[in-house]
Amino acid sequence: MTWLSNVRNALSFVVPKKETPDTLWHKCKGCGQLIFVKELEDNLHVCPSCAHHERIGPKTRFGYTFDGGIYTALPQPRVQEDPLKFRDTKRYADRIKAARTATGEGDALVNARGKIGGRSAIVGVQDFAFMGGSMGLAVGEAFVAGVEAAIADHCPYIIFTASGGARMQEGILSLMQMPRSTVAIQMLHDAGLPYIVVLTDPTSGGVMAAYAMLGDVQIAEPKATLAFTGRRVIENTIREKLPDDFQTSEYLLAHGMIDMVKPRKELPETLGKLIEFLCAKQTA
């Protein structure tokens, strides 16, 4: 038996040191600081050092938004999957399956029913982790279903947007969701109900050109990227250097495109006051 074998045998009796799990720390995308995940969660996924708002999914968002974190998720509407039999480096059907496995959601828009400030509301949340929050048939159908649920409950529809735009794998069918969502919003208005939009990082493309900018009240989280098209594309087109804060929440607020910028911890109270104010006439 060689000396190396003796060493290996000796090491086999040593209890390995438990490694620190990667999930214990989170590196802030804003300032690069390492933060305890528990501390980040307690601070609503907002960096305590630089106030960078991390992207969050529907379940976390619902828990922060509804009173006591109590809500009921609405069923995900069923639509035809992969209607164009699209394939690039991999099949579209496989991309959907992978996104569902990674997020635990049926598609990029999820609706839920609950109370905000003691008043009923239907809330939709787009999940950027699901194929970049892209808008396809399922997102369009979920948006319409959320509006119809709000009309049935006679309450506001609130949507938290987070999207890279239309889903290219569905071609023209994805772009058709823009007018569909516009008609749904008009249905909500015809019923005398408010439509409130909360823009989160990032919101862009066809979503920004459609239901993301049609709210009765437009709110945004701080320093969110809000754009129709990319900064580089615009600069190359107009051949000018754009301001550093271009396409941010604060820039849009300063130029009158949105109504307010609110940090995440203030959103539930703000939404509650808006619902109370906008629905006062109905309850009077």
Side-chain angles (χ1 to χ4, degrees), residues 184-201:
I185 294 167
Q186 187 58 53
M187 290 166 51
L188 199 65
H189 290 160
D190 290 344
L193 298 168
Y195 172 57
I196 302 172
V197 177
V198 182
L199 301 155
T200 75
D201 181 71

Side-chain angles (χ1 to χ4, degrees), residues 156-159 194-198 215-217 219 271 274-275 278:
Y157 184 53
I158 302 168
I159 187 160
Y195 172 57
I196 302 172
V197 177
V198 182
D216 298 315
V217 180
I219 311 171
L271 291 172
L274 284 172
I275 295 171
L278 295 172

